[in-house]
Amino acid sequence: MTALLVVIYVVFAVSALLTMYRIVVGPSILDRAVAADVLMTLVVCVLGADMAINHHTRTLPVLLVIAAVGVFGSISVARWVARRDNEGQS
């Protein structure tokens, strides 16, 4: 079980590092927004894995808040980019 946990944590850590690289480098605002959404999803997955492995539900409210922030953040960025693109075309 311990070796499996190490593998899971390494996979999540490598994924988070690659996502952070995409957030920093970009090249566009949409790439950064998608990367931030992926990072939030990774955090939700880590919290969910922790809940499943340790058999508890203490972090469920945190998980729900992070998911809500991720959804509202993605919608806000998408609306902002769409508005900016429409202003550029007119």
Side-chain angles (χ1 to χ4, degrees), residues 2-85:
T2 305
L4 180 63
L5 289 176
V6 170
V7 169
I8 289 171
Y9 290 140
V10 167
V11 168
F12 280 131
V14 169
S15 301
L17 287 175
L18 291 173
T19 305
M20 290 297 293
Y21 174 76
R22 180 54 61 192
I23 289 173
V24 170
V25 172
S28 70
I29 188 71
L30 290 178
D31 291 330
R32 291 184 171 113
V34 169
D37 202 27
V38 169
L39 188 61
M40 283 194 187
T41 303
L42 282 172
V43 170
V44 168
C45 288
V46 168
L47 289 175
D50 179 61
M51 287 173 37
I53 290 169
N54 294 324
H55 304 289
H56 68 83
T57 57
R58 289 187 304 265
T59 55
L60 186 60
V62 175
L63 197 140
L64 293 174
V65 169
I66 290 172
V69 167
V71 167
F72 294 133
S74 297
I75 291 171
S76 300
V77 169
R79 288 182 55 99
W80 180 73
V81 169
R83 183 176 300 158
R84 189 179 68 175
D85 287 346

